[in-house]
Each structure stands twice: as structure tokens, then as C-alpha cells.
Amino acid sequence: MAGDLHCHTTLSDGSLGIEEVIAQAKRVGLDYLAITDHDTLSSYSRAKILAERYDIEVIPAVELSAWDKKRNQKVHILCYAPQKPDRLEGLCLKSCQIRKECAKEMLEKVMALYPITEDMVYKYAKSSKSLYKSHIMRALINYGYATEFYGSINDELFKYPDGKCLVQREYPDVNFVVDLIHSSKGVAVMAHPYHFGNIELLEELIAAGKMDGIEVNHHSANEEQKEYLKKLCTENNLIMTGGSDFHGLYNDRVTYIGSNVCDDENIDKLKKLINLNSQKAYKTVPKSDE
């Protein structure tokens, strides 16, 4: 009953479409899949239809961009099965707009260094709700200015913190994002805490009772780090999720759907919390006798 609860499609910065991702998840033997495109809920309706076709359960999800203002760094929060997703639409639009503004500036800087055009880049982002560095790198590769996505050219242009074309801005505050997830009756899980160095923030959010789970099984954490995340989950009764963080062609290492998963026990915990949130979201108020 394993599930890959972290996958991306062409709606954000993945290279495969929704159907290709779902078909592959079924092919590798998964029972559950979550498509977690960045700051967009657009996969929901299409994924539901395809899930029935391929006989796999797709859990509605989105990976939300947020900012830890205390430490001035990025953080990603996975939201699973929001019962009132319309409450997240404004947040998603705002974050996509921030990303578009950053991408436009980065592309202008790259075009000042290399003879490529906007059309050369945007053709790779036709389905996406935004533009990503991977789309820019794909154009540079296609026109012979680079040979790999994550080599020396990528480092020179985009490596944090001093890439010559890197542009970053603050995303919405993480506490606001988590509170909005809970307002939408969704499940809030911190994505890959070691990837952006979010451990102190994670501990603070747990202490404040704001986390429902942690993405434990992710390639960014080594075994010792995973043990610490498991300890946090056990001590605080949190769900331990896992996912490949699949981007297809745009992954920075060998990564395939199902390479990291969420086990049966934690899938059950997640489903129980989703069901509980559903009951709360649509609970009817008894009419007064008066």
C-alpha cells in the first residue's frame, strides 16, 4: 500500500505530464500518489479522472512556497487534501506571481550573457503556471551553451547565494501559510526539512502545534538525519511521509517515481486525518427548535 507523496508535473517544474506520472506510478506498483506541483491546484480535476482510469488513488496536494522571516530563508510546506481548496487560490496566485517576476529578471540577465530569446525558453514552460530555472537551462542545453542541467554553467548562473543571474524574493510568511492550510482543512507537512536547512523552524512549528507531519523519506536527508526526523514524529504524534520529489528530466540526481515512499502505517494515519478534516469541513449545524 506504499505511496509516493511528492511528485511534480509540467504544471510546475516537472518534465512529464499528469497522465505520464500517474501511469508510471501504477506501472511501478504504487497504490497511492500525490501530485504536489508548486503553488498550483490545477492538477486536481484531471488527476481524479486519470486515477480512476489507472486504478490508483491520487491524493490531492500542492507544495506551497513560504518564507522563514526569522532566518531569512525559503521553506516548502506540503498541503494534502484541502477540503476547501478555494481558500488557497489567492496564496497560490501570489506565490506564482513572485516566481514569475524573479524568473523574468533571471532570464533577462541570462539573455545578456547568451544569444537566446524568450521564445526559446518559454516553449518549455507552456503547461507550467510559472517559469523555472530548469526551463532556462533546457534552452541553454538545446542551443549548445551547456551540456547538463546541474553542471558548471548552472552553478555560475544560479547557484545560491552568489549565482550571477540568481534572483530571489520573499514568499508569504510560513506561519500564515500553515494557518491557511488548516483553514482550508488540509494536512500540513514540512517538505524536506534538511534541503533548505529548516530544522530550527520545524522544531518551533511543532512546539506551536502547527505541523501535522514531516517528510522523512526524502533524498536530501541521510540516515542519521532521517532518524532524528522519525524521533520528532514519534514524540509529537506526527505523520511520517515520504516521496521521490520527482521532476523527470529536471531532477538533479537519479530519481524515479517510487524511489522514496510513505509506508502503510503512515498512509493510514494520513487518510484518517483527511477523513477527520472532511467531517469538520462539512459538518452540519443542528437547527434550533425555536
Side-chain angles (χ1 to χ4, degrees):
M1 202 170 72
D4 188 334
L5 302 186
H6 193 161
C7 290
H8 297 273
T9 75
T10 51
L11 288 174
S12 62
D13 56 345
S15 65
L16 298 184
I18 297 172
E19 183 165 8
E20 292 171 296
V21 169
I22 291 175
Q24 184 64 10
K26 181 64 177 180
R27 193 175 292 119
V28 301
L30 296 175
D31 292 309
Y32 293 89
L33 175 74
I35 294 175
T36 55
D37 281 311
H38 295 285
D39 304 307
T40 179
L41 310 170
S42 299
S43 67
Y44 280 24
S45 56
R46 179 68 174 153
K48 183 178 180 180
I49 295 170
L50 292 169
E52 294 177 359
R53 181 182 303 172
Y54 287 95
D55 190 26
I56 183 172
E57 186 164 341
V58 176
I59 299 171
V62 56
E63 186 172 13
L64 296 169
S65 304
W67 200 261
D68 177 2
K69 293 183 180 293
K70 183 176 179 180
R71 299 164 191 83
N72 195 34
Q73 61 187 24
K74 188 189 300 184
V75 56
H76 286 173
I77 305 294
L78 293 160
C79 170
Y80 294 104
Q83 302 301 308
K84 298 183 177 182
D86 55 301
R87 297 188 180 184
L88 298 174
E89 288 179 0
L91 173 66
C92 288
L93 288 172
K94 181 176 181 178
S95 293
C96 282
Q97 184 59 35
I98 292 170
R99 183 176 287 108
K100 287 176 183 177
E101 291 171 359
C102 290
K104 183 179 179 181
E105 286 189 38
M106 287 191 287
L107 180 53
E108 288 173 352
K109 291 184 176 186
V110 171
M111 289 191 300
L113 298 173
Y114 295 93
I116 62 172
T117 67
E118 288 186 356
D119 289 343
M120 293 176 182
V121 175
Y122 277 101
K123 71 178 182 179
Y124 298 118
K126 286 181 179 178
S127 301
S128 180
K129 298 301 177 180
S130 190
L131 184 72
Y132 292 81
K133 294 187 291 289
S134 50
H135 298 136
I136 299 174
M137 282 304 305
R138 188 168 182 180
L140 290 175
I141 291 169
N142 203 39
Y143 284 89
Y145 298 106
T147 58
E148 53 189 340
F149 283 102
Y150 296 98
S152 60
I153 301 298
N154 177 78
D155 289 349
E156 177 187 351
L157 300 179
F158 302 124
K159 189 173 182 179
Y160 182 83
D162 53 3
K164 63 175 63 175
C165 297
L166 181 66
V167 176
Q168 291 201 116
R169 290 193 177 91
E170 287 189 13
Y171 284 96
D173 178 71
V174 62
N175 286 283
F176 171 76
V177 170
V178 173
D179 290 345
L180 197 61
I181 290 172
H182 288 142
S183 173
S184 75
K185 301 303 178 187
V187 178
V189 174
M190 182 176 283
H192 42 60
Y194 283 98
H195 183 58
F196 294 133
N198 301 132
I199 299 302
E200 287 185 9
L201 171 65
L202 173 62
E203 293 168 345
E204 290 174 2
L205 291 172
I206 291 173
K210 291 193 172 187
M211 283 285 95
D212 298 312
I214 305 171
E215 187 176 44
V216 174
N217 292 324
H218 186 273
H219 58 68
S220 61
N222 61 35
E223 291 307 312
E224 182 180 352
Q225 291 167 338
K226 287 179 182 178
E227 286 303 316
Y228 179 63
L229 296 179
K230 289 177 183 177
K231 181 173 179 286
L232 286 177
C233 288
T234 301
E235 291 177 348
N236 297 280
N237 194 29
L238 301 176
I239 303 166
M240 303 182 204
T241 74
S244 61
D245 204 354
F246 178 76
H247 290 77
L249 182 65
Y250 302 135
N251 277 107
D252 64 354
R253 66 193 68 207
V254 175
T255 305
Y256 52 89
I257 295 170
S259 55
N260 276 298
V261 296
C262 185
D263 62 20
D264 297 6
E265 180 182 354
N266 284 283
I267 288 283
D268 282 339
K269 287 182 179 179
L270 177 61
K271 291 182 69 178
K272 286 177 181 177
L273 185 51
I274 291 171
N275 289 336
L276 181 61
N277 285 343
S278 177
Q279 292 170 15
K280 290 179 179 178
Y282 302 106
K283 181 172 64 175
T284 56
V285 179
K287 293 182 178 179
S288 171
D289 291 334
E290 298 181 3

